[in-house]
Amino acid sequence: MALDFLAGCVGGAAGVLVGHPFDTVKVRLQVQNVEKPLYRGTFHCFQSIIKQESAFGLYKGIGSPMMGLTFINALVFGVQGNTLRALGKDTPLNQFLAGSAAGAIQCVICCPMELAKTRMQLQGTGEYKLKTKNYKNSLDCLVKIYKKEGLRGINRGMVSTFIRETPSFGFYFLTYDCMTRYLGCEADDSYVIPKLLFSGGMSGIVSWLSTYPMDVIKSRLQADGVGGVTQYKGILDCVRKSYHEEGWRVFTRGLTSTLLRAFPVNAATFATVTVFLMYMRPEDNIP
């Protein structure tokens, strides 16, 4: 459990540093006004943020995922590992169930963390220097939301996060397990690192594709009310209004930047975790 915790922290840190700029682009594209869009697509969004807000604009809100990193990865890798051991056999179905259990439990921390991240990422959109700064940092963001809206405000988007994370993490661990077995990732393999990177990257892509439409809904619900106006009453209302106003393509908005982010982030995360565990465990346990 301790090794799972440490490995998750190291791997998660690597993943956040690699992927946060892509996540900022994804959120901006998901929530922008369709009638007056600021960005024409993924690459235009990248260029605009760097030009208008500097490269640091891509890292807005990074404090929130970094802050929740330790707890989330402790839960994900700890729960997944212990659930798999409790189920007894290492089968594809059990990998999926263990991953789903990990995804469901970590929502308690993931939801407030992503709420703060989303609000921070949308702050000062299109401004090189912020004229008005509502939030100093991610913690200040959560404190202000709590004072204004209470626990309900802090947990905005919890149900949509749960619906997204539970099957998503099931596919995440299932894909990684199947890929590493298929590629024959063993400690004495000279190509083990490239194989681990590829397996981790593909697991991230499959994970995101499995529940991406729900991620769009989650982002919209968590961004709702930022300008003082609330548009959506709940998940179904958000789905109905989004589809009615923008068509089915709204549920794939930001997908390109998400997949561009998913491969390197999860390649870095899973490879780091696996290599860390390989070197930290006793030699007779390495395979």
Side-chain angles (χ1 to χ4, degrees):
M1 183 70 174
L3 284 178
D4 288 341
F5 174 84
L6 290 172
C9 290
V10 176
V16 170
L17 288 171
V18 170
H20 193 76
F22 294 98
D23 189 69
T24 300
V25 171
K26 181 203 75 169
V27 171
R28 294 279 182 95
L29 290 171
Q30 285 179 337
V31 304
Q32 71 173 339
N33 190 327
V34 68
E35 294 175 3
K36 297 179 181 178
L38 289 172
Y39 314 113
R40 295 192 296 269
T42 299
F43 296 105
H44 180 249
C45 186
F46 263 111
Q47 291 173 339
S48 299
I49 292 173
I50 293 171
K51 185 179 179 180
Q52 297 168 356
E53 305 170 43
S54 82
F56 291 107
L58 293 169
Y59 283 92
K60 281 183 178 177
I62 195 172
S64 181
M66 279 294 187
M67 197 164 55
L69 181 68
T70 302
F71 302 103
I72 285 179
N73 282 281
L75 283 172
V76 168
F77 287 95
V79 170
Q80 193 270 345
N82 279 283
T83 303
L84 192 60
R85 284 188 283 273
L87 290 171
K89 292 182 178 180
D90 184 3
T91 63
L93 176 61
N94 286 347
Q95 283 283 351
F96 181 84
L97 293 174
S100 297
I105 291 173
Q106 59 94 44
C107 287
V108 177
I109 298 168
C110 177
C111 181
M113 182 200 79
E114 293 214 348
L115 174 66
K117 174 182 68 65
T118 299
R119 296 290 176 91
M120 289 292 292
Q121 286 172 327
L122 296 175
Q123 184 171 245
T125 300
E127 296 179 15
Y128 189 81
K129 286 188 177 181
L130 293 182
K131 295 174 183 176
T132 54
K133 204 171 183 179
N134 295 323
Y135 312 116
K136 297 175 185 175
N137 50 51
S138 299
L139 184 59
D140 179 58
C141 177
L142 289 174
V143 169
K144 286 183 176 177
I145 292 172
Y146 177 76
K147 286 181 178 178
K148 187 177 179 180
E149 304 175 47
L151 270 177
R152 188 181 183 126
I154 288 289
N155 290 299
R156 182 188 289 266
M158 178 63 80
V159 177
S160 55
T161 301
F162 179 83
I163 295 171
R164 182 195 72 174
E165 298 289 84
T166 304
S168 176
F169 270 91
F171 286 113
Y172 187 55
F173 283 99
L174 171 63
T175 304
Y176 186 71
D177 181 66
C178 291
M179 288 294 296
T180 51
R181 288 178 188 275
Y182 177 76
L183 295 173
C185 298
E186 296 295 339
D188 57 354
D189 186 350
S190 58
Y191 296 103
V192 67
I193 300 298
K195 288 179 179 180
L196 292 175
L197 288 168
F198 183 72
S199 299
M202 290 306 298
S203 69
I205 287 176
V206 171
S207 171
W208 274 107
L209 286 174
S210 67
T211 57
Y212 190 78
M214 185 51 65
D215 183 66
V216 175
I217 298 304
K218 179 204 70 74
S219 292
R220 293 196 157 205
L221 289 172
Q222 291 187 326
D224 195 29
V226 170
V229 180
T230 302
Q231 299 182 63
Y232 311 117
K233 296 176 183 178
I235 294 174
L236 292 178
D237 185 52
C238 183
V239 171
R240 186 169 53 251
K241 286 181 177 177
S242 297
Y243 178 75
H244 179 72
E245 293 171 8
E246 303 170 52
W248 65 269
R249 288 182 182 274
V250 68
F251 301 113
T252 63
R253 182 178 288 180
L255 182 60
T256 302
S257 63
T258 300
L259 296 183
L260 284 172
R261 167 184 176 265
F263 193 92
V265 167
N266 293 287
T269 301
F270 255 131
T272 303
V273 168
T274 307
V275 171
F276 181 89
L277 290 174
M278 278 182 179
Y279 282 99
M280 291 300 290
R281 282 175 177 158
E283 288 187 13
D284 57 337
N285 274 341
I286 284 178

